[in-house]
Amino acid sequence: MSSAGSPGEFELIARHFARAAGNSRVDLGIGDDCALIDAGPERQWAVTTDMLVENVHFLADVAPAALGHKALAVNLSDLAACGAQPRACLLALALPRADDAWLADFANGLLALAEQFGCSLAGGDTTRSTAGVTISITALGEVPRGAALLRSGARVGDDIWVSGHLGDGALGLAVRRDRIELSPAARLAAVERLERPTPRVELGVALRGIAHSAIDVSDGLAGDLGHVLKSSVVGATIEWGALPVSAALASLPLEFQQRCVLAGGDDYELVFTADAASRDAVRAVGRDVHLPLTRIGIVRAGGGLTLAAPQGPMDIQPRAFDHFRP
Ligand code: ADP
Ligand code: MG
């Protein structure tokens, strides 16, 4: 509980909703990227829902096709974090007005990504909003029973790996807000990373049986890796010098880079842990799915997250972006 008296996002969930878990068909309830629902002896359904609110999660002038893409991408990213294969999704939309051209573009963006990952739009709800646009998608994926990647599986001695580059989502936001000067090509690339993220679905599926734990980086590495450490009751040390950042981000001041990587958000890469004996297997997965996979640190006993940084070792507050905290 926060000493200031106003509870944060994760305290609110724990206080009001956590008791809903534990239904007999719910194999895994609140607390991971997806819930896991019993689907018979062979399989489980992985289910996740994420909401995008105008002026909270996206700027009002974002291209509707990009918004449709992103609304589904953030949900597919949670399926990826569990190693689930996307199957279907539901779309709930609250709109201030019925704008046919806007909806056509939005649907094109969403359905193109849905098709790419075999995730059929199976239903939803549409209503008028008296405020801005709100989009809520629920996505359903399939996983062989017991094979889902969980936040709680990290073991002492595991390597910590990350896919792609970190910090570009926050860099894209800084660019969109005109807070940063970059070349036109680098601007475009950063905004693309913010507005049209690629969910790492193939990677999540390929890591079944190899990774001990996983999460997608939606709220910054410190907080999201922090969720894994807390769920797994372990600590970690990560190396700043090993963290993969794009050339554009690497050209900016170190403290800005660190903010973008550790406390930024919207990266939608996977962070996962695996046995040191699995390094070759992990590298083979990276080659198969055409993604750079980088070893960034190690899981250790005890709690906490230490960053070996150029400034010296830093104890990082493993706190994710929180909607109700400054
Ligand atoms: P993610 O960033 O992966 O989408 P969150 O950090 O938003 O996950 O949520 C953490 C956990 O809390 C998840 O298991 C999620 O399903 C659960 N959760 C969030 N909000 C609610 C709610 N209103 N009721 C029940 N569970 C919730
Ligand atoms: Mg997630």
Side-chain angles (χ1 to χ4, degrees), residues 168 171-172 175-176 186-196:
D168 285 346
L171 178 63
V175 166
R176 278 290 253 116
R187 274 184 76 91
L188 212 65
V191 171
E192 183 80 359
R193 285 295 310 266
L194 172 71
E195 295 187 345
R196 297 184 61 89

Side-chain angles (χ1 to χ4, degrees), residues 25-148:
R25 299 300 297 264
V26 177
D27 294 334
L28 180 69
I30 295 173
D32 216 297
D33 293 288
C34 296
L36 296 177
I37 313 290
D38 178 12
E42 309 274 305
R43 294 171 305 141
Q44 289 164 304
W45 291 116
V47 190
T48 183
T49 193
D50 255 315
M51 183 156 60
L52 266 61
V53 177
E54 184 172 326
N55 293 324
V56 177
H57 299 95
F58 61 92
L59 304 169
D61 64 351
V62 67
L67 188 58
H69 173 104
K70 183 161 178 177
L72 181 59
V74 301
N75 282 280
L76 297 185
S77 180
D78 279 324
L79 294 184
C82 288
Q85 185 66 53
R87 294 296 184 217
C89 61
L90 304 172
L91 166 67
L93 266 180
L95 303 168
R97 70 196 76 83
D99 180 336
D100 208 39
W102 190 95
L103 275 170
D105 287 349
F106 175 85
N108 284 340
L110 191 154
L111 293 174
L113 189 71
E115 170 140 4
Q116 185 184 339
F117 288 105
C119 187
S120 314
L121 178 60
D125 191 28
T126 306
T127 176
R128 196 164 69 84
S129 155
T130 53
V133 172
T134 298
I135 307 149
S136 175
I137 291 184
T138 299
L140 191 80
E142 197 179 323
V143 70
R145 174 165 287 284

Side-chain angles (χ1 to χ4, degrees), residues 221-291:
L221 177 66
D224 287 323
L225 180 55
H227 289 317
V228 169
L229 302 181
K230 197 169 170 209
S231 295
S232 302
V233 200
V234 291
T237 301
I238 53 177
E239 294 271 339
W240 174 258
L243 291 176
V245 296
S246 63
L249 184 55
S251 72
L252 296 165
L254 177 64
E255 280 177 14
F256 177 76
Q257 291 181 45
Q258 290 178 334
R259 260 206 320 280
C260 287
V261 169
L262 298 169
D266 279 333
D267 285 324
Y268 302 104
E269 297 296 347
L270 295 189
V271 171
F272 58 95
T273 75
D275 200 286
S278 301
R279 284 177 192 170
D280 286 343
V282 171
R283 290 191 189 103
V285 165
R287 283 193 297 276
D288 284 351
V289 302
H290 308 291
L291 267 180

